[in-house]
Amino acid sequence: MADLAFDPSTGKLTTTQIDPNAPCFAPGTLIRTERGDIAVETLDVGDVVITASGEYRPIIWLGHHTMKRNGSAEFQSACPVRIQAGAFGDQMPYADLWLSPGHAVCVRILDEVLIPAGYLINGATIAQVDVDEITYWHVELGSHDILLANGLPTESYLDCGSRAWFEGSHGVTDPDRKLGSPADYCRPLILDGLIVEAVASRLRARAELLGWTKTTDMDIHIVADGVRIEPDLDEGLARFLIPVRARDVRLVSETFIPAEWSDSGDERRLGISINGLHINDGLRCSKDIDLNDPRLDDGFHYPESENGKSWRWTNGSLKLPSELWADCRTHVFLRVTMDSGGSPHWVAGSKTKPQRTEPADTNQTNIVPLRAA
């Protein structure tokens, strides 16, 4: 959670860190109310929402917080999660929904449970998106409940210590009110185990039904001064012919996040695993490039090694500075040695566009069970 500090100039508690666990909606999210589905940023305290169970409940507090990219890992972890239209079922949601990673979605698997969106990322229908700036909003009722956001059941705000994280708020809060605890959640909050795995598995099956396909083709290529150069591929090798005068050169590939495909916990965005780089011009220049060369700092993850083997993962776009072949003539022959076989990632199909952009029937308030495709 965020660290809190007292600001003597305002007499208020302020937050000193980004809080990726705070559950929030992105602007434009449509919340089901008695007046219809209304953008969250236009709601007012006192507006009456219709919960997933069909109850009419007034809003008692609204908060918002704007974050800007600052290069920190905290900002990266708090970037929004996009849930594609139909990811959980027909019209669920009815339009793409953007939530903070800590915002829980209500699903029914044996019984209704809450699972944070960040725990369901699959890189296809549910993906974390890099942004430079995001404003997060949240809606509090008299007690924790399930709202309908773009038609998808999601939690209302429960103050577990993050209220001061919102720099803009509306409504009166009870200063003596205790912070929320697991006992105050309207449904069980599940963060790991078989239930999360089962939901994630069904969401992947649903993604395939929506047109996403799995592949290990990493689409490896060079982009030199804006021109795409295809490789000559062999088992574990990619060979390129690069103009010697090329200045802006990148080794590009598809990417994947291991944690989206296994329980590794590795949240890095990875491209290809490189074991060696070799440059020659067919004349006098022939040299291996040390993978730890400080000039290779743009697009490489940290070095790794095991059982005498060393490698480095790219992030999908490795910059190759022209200084590497400054002593070459005419052309540069680049040989990339890498792990063969490729890594799994999703490819969008023709059916992956949002199913609709307007609200579905506002009288439909029941939580739909998440079913396998």
Side-chain angles (χ1 to χ4, degrees):
M1 304 298 290
D3 289 339
L4 302 179
F6 180 74
D7 184 348
S9 65
T10 63
K12 296 181 179 180
L13 285 173
T14 61
T15 180
T16 58
Q17 289 184 356
I18 292 169
D19 187 357
N21 297 312
C24 313
F25 300 105
T29 300
L30 300 178
I31 304 298
R32 184 72 46 85
T33 77
E34 63 178 356
R35 296 185 289 120
D37 286 18
I38 307 297
V40 64
E41 67 272 23
T42 65
L43 291 172
D44 290 318
V45 171
D47 281 346
V48 176
V49 302
I50 304 176
T51 68
S53 61
E55 290 187 70
Y56 287 65
R57 303 192 63 186
I59 296 171
I60 67 167
W61 180 85
L62 292 161
H64 64 86
H65 180 90
T66 298
M67 304 188 314
K68 296 183 179 181
R69 180 173 295 280
N70 58 8
S72 69
E74 288 85 359
F75 177 88
Q76 190 66 33
S77 66
C79 280
V81 174
R82 175 195 52 77
I83 300 176
Q84 180 187 317
F88 284 80
D90 292 344
Q91 308 300 320
M92 296 187 65
Y94 57 70
D96 287 4
L97 175 64
W98 296 64
L99 303 173
S100 64
H103 197 129
V105 175
C106 186
V107 298
R108 181 182 297 157
I109 180 166
L110 299 180
D111 203 352
E112 292 175 8
V113 297
L114 291 167
I115 303 176
Y119 288 74
L120 299 175
I121 291 172
N122 57 28
T125 55
I126 304 178
Q128 192 164 27
V129 180
D130 286 338
V131 296
D132 292 324
E133 180 177 329
I134 182 70
T135 297
Y136 280 133
W137 289 80
H138 220 322
V139 179
E140 185 177 20
L141 310 179
S143 60
H144 196 237
D145 211 332
I146 305 300
L147 303 172
L148 290 170
N150 290 8
L152 187 70
T154 62
E155 66 173 322
S156 67
Y157 179 69
L158 177 65
D159 183 15
C160 294
S162 62
R163 192 184 300 275
W165 185 73
F166 297 90
E167 74 263 8
S169 62
H170 310 276
V172 178
T173 58
D174 182 356
D176 297 323
R177 187 174 181 177
K178 294 182 179 179
L179 294 180
S181 69
D184 297 308
Y185 279 88
C186 63
R187 307 287 190 277
L189 180 66
I190 308 297
L191 302 180
D192 54 26
L194 294 177
I195 291 179
V196 174
E197 293 173 13
V199 172
S201 176
R202 295 183 184 189
L203 288 170
R204 288 193 293 268
R206 175 72 182 173
E208 293 188 81
L209 184 65
L210 292 176
W212 290 88
T213 57
K214 302 172 187 175
T215 181
T216 57
D217 180 5
M218 299 304 291
D219 188 25
I220 301 166
H221 59 279
I222 288 283
V223 176
D225 295 334
V227 177
R228 178 176 173 129
I229 300 174
E230 301 294 341
D232 174 21
L233 290 173
D234 200 353
E235 187 72 17
L237 289 175
R239 302 180 183 88
F240 299 92
L241 181 61
I242 305 172
V244 73
R245 296 185 182 276
R247 290 296 175 263
D248 183 13
V249 179
R250 286 189 173 271
L251 177 61
V252 180
S253 72
E254 294 289 341
T255 62
F256 74 107
I257 298 175
E260 295 174 357
W261 295 88
S262 69
D263 59 359
S264 67
D266 188 347
E267 299 285 351
R268 294 177 299 167
R269 181 166 293 280
L270 305 179
I272 58 175
S273 175
I274 295 180
N275 305 318
L277 293 171
H278 180 84
I279 286 175
N280 74 79
D281 63 359
L283 298 172
R284 297 181 178 180
C285 176
S286 180
K287 57 184 177 180
D288 291 321
I289 304 299
D290 188 346
L291 296 183
N292 296 321
D293 190 311
R295 293 172 292 183
L296 298 174
D297 61 350
D298 184 354
F300 249 157
H301 289 287
Y302 53 79
E304 300 176 68
S305 62
E306 185 177 0
N307 298 326
K309 178 183 176 182
S310 299
W311 68 92
R312 291 187 76 172
W313 284 97
T314 74
N315 65 4
S317 180
L318 173 64
K319 182 175 178 59
L320 299 173
S322 58
E323 291 87 349
L324 295 176
W325 54 83
D327 49 353
C328 291
R329 302 180 182 180
T330 63
H331 285 85
V332 179
F333 296 93
L334 170 67
R335 185 179 71 226
V336 181
T337 307
M338 57 193 177
D339 283 345
S340 59
S343 301
H345 59 278
W346 292 100
V347 175
S350 59
K351 297 191 294 182
T352 58
K353 296 180 180 179
Q355 295 173 317
R356 61 187 293 162
T357 56
E358 71 277 3
D361 180 3
T362 56
N363 293 318
Q364 181 183 348
T365 58
N366 292 330
I367 296 175
V368 178
L370 179 63
R371 303 183 185 279

